[in-house]
Amino acid sequence: MSIHSFKHIYNEPLMGNKTIFLLLHGTGGDENDLVQLAKLIDPQAGILSLRGNIDENGMNRFFERKAMGILDEDSLKEETVKMYDFLSAASKEYAFNKKQLVVLGYSNGANIAGSLLFHYDDAFYQGMLLHPMVPLRSVQLPDLSNQRIFIGAGENDPICPPEETKELEQLLKQANASVQMYWGRDGHSLSNAELEAASMWYENL
């Protein structure tokens, strides 16, 4: 697997900063979607922003789905391995340690970030998962004692119901991850209040 397996943007951290945001967009987005948001959270952080390789009727995704809210587990597993291999290749190419990676993933991007967590204990360092689902229910999670995770969710999210989010929180905690929850009432959308909560969580890393 090479760094050419995902179309991506890479910017080095500035001013001695060590953080590199791993940006994973939602359905229909691309590698530019979350860049400004990342810069608002930490202007000096580096950026590794990926474009999903799956084309769903002209919309970029990181893995296939069978219907709205129904993930294709085989595709998810396959693409998770590809992303992990890409991150390993990118860390060599750009000379960073994967412990510098802080995920910022939204919706489809948050789901594949969750799948990385479910499969690997060293894919990244910490993560902000915005409106994620439970990626898989058929795997034994690794020990995530070193992981701190922020989950942003909507009490009235029509795509990711609250029960789904609470199950994900429980699974991560059972794997010893530290999880901070934020609940809003803006459906599946990202609100300013949610982003402010994510930013405050990040500042306390």
Side-chain angles (χ1 to χ4, degrees):
M1 188 66 64
S2 77
I3 60 161
H4 303 296
S5 55
F6 283 87
K7 187 171 177 60
H8 65 279
I9 296 169
Y10 179 73
N11 295 326
E12 290 187 358
L14 304 173
M15 311 285 288
N17 193 313
K18 296 296 185 187
T19 296
I20 298 170
F21 284 125
L22 173 59
L23 305 183
L24 303 172
H25 62 75
T27 299
D30 64 25
E31 67 276 18
N32 299 297
D33 270 26
L34 299 175
V35 171
Q36 290 307 314
L37 175 55
K39 288 182 177 178
L40 284 173
I41 295 174
D42 186 347
Q44 272 79 48
I47 286 171
L48 178 59
S49 186
L50 278 58
R51 178 188 294 187
N53 284 329
I54 302 300
D55 184 332
E56 181 186 270
N57 301 318
M59 297 185 297
N60 298 315
R61 283 177 56 83
F62 287 104
F63 57 91
E64 296 175 12
R65 60 182 169 183
K66 296 181 176 178
M68 184 76 75
I70 303 177
L71 312 183
D72 184 324
E73 290 195 7
D74 290 338
S75 175
L76 176 55
K77 290 175 182 176
E78 184 179 335
E79 296 303 322
T80 298
V81 172
K82 289 180 184 176
M83 184 172 289
Y84 182 79
D85 290 345
F86 166 82
L87 294 176
S88 298
S91 69
K92 294 183 177 71
E93 176 72 19
Y94 298 124
F96 65 77
N97 189 313
K98 282 188 285 188
K99 289 183 178 179
Q100 294 174 250
L101 292 175
V102 175
V103 168
L104 176 57
Y106 168 57
S107 192
N108 180 243
N111 290 338
I112 197 162
S115 183
L116 283 168
L117 277 174
F118 274 39
H119 288 91
Y120 306 102
D121 63 358
D122 64 342
F124 52 82
Y125 179 53
Q126 318 280 3
M128 290 170 273
L129 308 184
L130 308 179
H131 300 263
M133 299 173 67
V134 177
L136 296 158
R137 292 179 172 85
S138 56
V139 298
Q140 179 69 39
L141 275 67
D143 180 12
L144 299 177
S145 302
N146 295 322
Q147 290 285 347
R148 292 181 69 250
I149 304 298
F150 173 93
I151 296 178
E155 294 174 7
N156 57 342
D157 190 328
I159 296 174
C160 180
E163 299 75 31
E164 182 95 13
T165 308
K166 290 172 183 174
E167 182 183 351
L168 176 61
E169 177 189 15
Q170 194 62 34
L171 288 168
L172 291 172
K173 284 184 173 178
Q174 287 171 357
N176 302 314
S178 168
V179 183
Q180 179 175 317
M181 290 294 310
Y182 170 85
W183 291 97
R185 290 197 55 79
D186 291 274
H188 200 63
S189 301
L190 298 179
S191 67
N192 286 335
E194 180 179 343
L195 299 176
E196 286 172 9
S199 184
M200 286 181 63
W201 170 89
Y202 170 79
E203 288 174 7
N204 290 318
L205 280 181

